[in-house]
Amino acid sequence: MAALAGGGAVVAGTPARAGARAVIRPSALRPGDRVRVIAPAGVPDTRLARGIEILESFGLVVEEGEHLHDRYGYLAGTDEARLADLNAAFRDPGVRGVFAARGGYGTQRILDGLDLDAVRRDPRVFVGFSDLTVLAGRLWTAARLISFYGPMMNWTDARLGPAEIESLRSAVMTTDPIVLTTDPAEPSAAVTVPGVATGPLLGGNLTMLQASLGTRDLPDLRGAILLLEDTDESAYSYDRMLTHLTRAGALRRIAGVAIGQFTNAPVVSGQWTAAQAVLDRVGSLGVPVLGGLRIGHGNGQLTVPLGARATIDTTAGTLTVEAGVQP
């Protein structure tokens, strides 16, 4: 019963089933590896230097995409330039990791030009979130490649401290399992449906998941633990997006739901909060739901592998995910 707590190539339009093909884990990054920072969406700013500094502190050799500092309206360069950087990063055999500089908007505009043969031929680490949800989805549906839902390199120290730096490093450089515990201070901690569920962790930003309906970017979520988070959205927006996904059949037979951060969700007196609206929608799915996870746009953002086998346990208040990389 739902409760509001106190405290092969994919055919166009046909998403790949969560448990169908063999999952591909990229090799763990090691000190001395070359990695590349690219901007498939919005324009990075001066905070980028801090993100690059952090990657270098891991012992990685950081390269910048050729067009990383371009600007075209609200985009980080023209579609052609951003796509060129994206494909160059996945084609270069010496580049072992690809890190997104910033989200915002724009990845969908170039995604259909992604060199999927290069992705399949030589899998590597990819890290990004928010707008990059669609790229993570395409890597999964086309290549069954695990990617990492974690911070952009446009880094803000006030939001991301030593624990979050270590979370990123451990996720992409070790084979340790990842365990997140629900944080009662997160607004989404109020969303729970008791139970235990296991499946590949898939999803990401709710806005981008809804925007992916009818495309090859949205995985078939049957048997999956669906990850959701968003920012700057009202309660009715969460309701609308989840209702759309449900009516479209995208949430049919999911195993469970892991809910990240509801960042900057307005609270209106006398109306539902974002947590109440989400519970109203996911509480009727008949699966366990665990909220309060520090995944998303808020402070203390942690890194998790998308596509790796995960378990949510609402009694323990934990999301446990297998390593997303191989030795």
Side-chain angles (χ1 to χ4, degrees), residues 206 209-210 213 218 241-251:
L206 181 56
L209 293 174
Q210 184 201 26
L213 281 168
L218 182 67
M241 290 186 282
L242 286 167
T243 298
H244 187 189
L245 288 166
T246 301
R247 294 183 66 222
L251 306 187

Side-chain angles (χ1 to χ4, degrees), residues 278-295:
V278 170
L279 180 65
D280 182 76
R281 299 289 77 198
V282 301
S284 61
L285 296 175
V287 299
V289 179
L290 177 68
L293 301 169
R294 293 205 333 259
I295 303 170

Side-chain angles (χ1 to χ4, degrees), residues 21 24 55 95 114 147 166 178 183 203 211 228 239 243 287 304 324:
R21 304 194 307 273
I24 304 300
L55 293 182
V95 172
L114 176 63
S147 60
E166 175 56 23
I178 295 167
D183 183 347
L228 300 175
D239 182 329
T243 298
V287 299
V304 291

Side-chain angles (χ1 to χ4, degrees), residues 64-89:
E64 296 187 359
E66 180 180 355
H67 301 282
L68 179 60
H69 299 285
D70 286 5
R71 181 185 291 269
Y72 180 69
Y74 41 73
L75 302 168
T78 64
D79 288 356
E80 293 76 14
R82 298 189 338 278
L83 178 60
D85 276 6
L86 177 63
N87 280 331

